[in-house]
Amino acid sequence: MADNYSLPDKVHVAVDVVLFTIQRSELKVLLVKRLIEPFAGGYALPGGFVLADESLEHAAMRELQEETGFKAHYLEQLQSFGDPGRDPRGRVVTVAYFALLPSEQTIQPGTDAVEAGWFSAHAAPALAFDHDRILAVALRRLQWKLDYSGVGFDLLPDRFTLSELQAVHEAIHGHPLDKRNFRRKLEAGNQVAETNEMKPTGRKPARLYRFIGPR
Amino acid sequence: MADNYSLPDKVHVAVDVVLFTIQRSELKVLLVKRLIEPFAGGYALPGGFVLADESLEHAAMRELQEETGFKAHYLEQLQSFGDPGRDPRGRVVTVAYFALLPSEQTIQPGTDAVEAGWFSAHAAPALAFDHDRILAVALRRLQWKLDYSGVGFDLLPDRFTLSELQAVHEAIHGHPLDKRNFRRKLEAGNQVAETNEMKPTGRKPARLYRFIGPR
DNA sequence: ACAAAAGTGTTCCATATACACCCATGT
DNA sequence: ACATGGGTGTATATGGAACACTTTTGT
């Protein structure tokens, strides 16, 4: 770490959170409406500045909670974005986070501070700052993680049917999957265990499963 | 992005660079000796503070160049580290970068500003700050990228033998690979093309290859 | 009875792994 | 001539992809 340079006190650090959920088998992302300039009236990812004594993760959780009322079920760092000029107010480096919310909890957000809402993740409106780019990176990461870890479970309640889980995967990848292949892979992965409970579906009842093992 | 919070002007932004190279079939990482407190006399990753009007990538390249004289062949963002307390001087969020240098260029670094040197990446000394953690993350990323992209080529001169390339993979993964399987996978990947040149090896000459196609 | 989603196996193909010998050169 | 690393093929195991019918319930 160089000590032979004076500190540039004008660089600020923010966090932004890409919170995904599933609603009616569609992948949604949480956006907030900006009330003030710049980009007033436009949509942006929830986020804000990091406080002097909190970790980056804490800042991400706090901003999400304060701005939208939601508490993410899964949170991981995505990438940092710091091009000069990405924020017209000054030099802001943002650490982007990627978060998931189980579908049961996606009630409409409490409009405490700002207007927030769920938008189709695959067809989101144009966003403020470089948030389009951040969203695109988050989407790719989500698709990737889905195949290589059990991250899909964080989008469902703790008891779920296999068809519901498959719908999550289909919504994220944007194309249909083969039911039998999907189930075989799940068995092999030892990530789900059946329960004794059945879910009445209106037609033939479906067995409920629960998540086990490491994600 | 929250506007209802005053900006915490005490958060500084730095970059740190994990520069890998191959020397005598061993994976090495570039470390600098710290001349002043904190951690004076200890080793650390090269890095320093981001200037007000440069991109994060630019800061990474600049600090590497200034501190060690090296110019990375490949540079990509790794992850950001920002726990309060990671730097005893104050609140510093660092954006870590991951970089590669072809083995031909790993002459001893110019000791302009600080003492720098190459250390075994798998058995590096204890590092200042949280740089051990950063190095560990970089190593995992390197191993991962090696299998899923042509990143290994950035560690070799632009003409290389297949045995040299295999040695790079073995050094990074830390275990031997099967020669025929390794070569078959390369062919399938369409990432290398043979040249007409042969490299005299002291024994049977080896064909030189060059990198083609996307990495 | 019928509509609708739940559940269940097999075949085929591609990719990964294990393994051993001859070749060309410099000394 | 011999020592050294360069170069080459085959057989087996494993994982992914394609594909259709029966079952159970509510109406």
Side-chain angles (χ1 to χ4, degrees), chain A residues 140 174 180:
Chain A
R140 264 190 323 216
R180 285 169 290 189

Side-chain angles (χ1 to χ4, degrees), chain A residues 23-161:
Chain A
Q23 277 178 355
R24 286 170 293 111
S25 295
E26 261 203 299
L27 182 67
K28 304 280 189 170
V29 62
L30 185 65
L31 301 176
V32 298
K33 193 162 204 164
R34 287 187 58 78
L35 301 177
I36 63 168
E37 293 296 340
F39 302 102
Y43 287 99
L45 297 170
F49 292 100
V50 175
L51 301 181
D53 59 352
E54 68 181 345
S55 71
L56 298 172
E57 270 188 24
H58 184 273
M61 291 187 296
R62 179 184 52 75
E63 285 290 347
L64 183 61
Q65 169 85 49
E66 289 178 358
E67 283 203 343
T68 70
F70 288 119
K71 189 169 177 340
H73 205 252
Y74 177 85
L75 187 76
E76 96 172 19
Q77 195 187 113
L78 191 58
Q79 205 183 306
S80 295
F81 297 82
D83 286 347
R86 61 174 291 281
D87 189 324
R89 292 168 299 182
R91 186 66 198 281
V92 180
V93 172
T94 192
V95 184
Y97 278 81
F98 156 87
L100 301 175
L101 189 71
S103 56
E104 47 172 1
Q105 298 173 31
T106 66
I107 40 160
Q108 277 312 305
T111 319
D112 292 350
V114 289
E115 265 186 74
W118 295 104
F119 292 77
S120 162
H122 292 293
L127 301 182
F129 307 104
D130 52 0
H131 289 189
D132 299 292
R133 239 181 102 203
I134 299 177
L135 174 57
V137 172
L139 250 176
R140 264 190 323 216
R141 176 84 136 250
L142 174 59
Q143 291 172 342
W144 188 85
K145 279 197 82 77
L146 195 61
D147 298 332
Y148 295 95
S149 80
V151 84
F153 302 110
D154 294 298
L155 289 163
L156 287 174
D158 58 290
R159 300 296 158 106
F160 50 86
T161 71

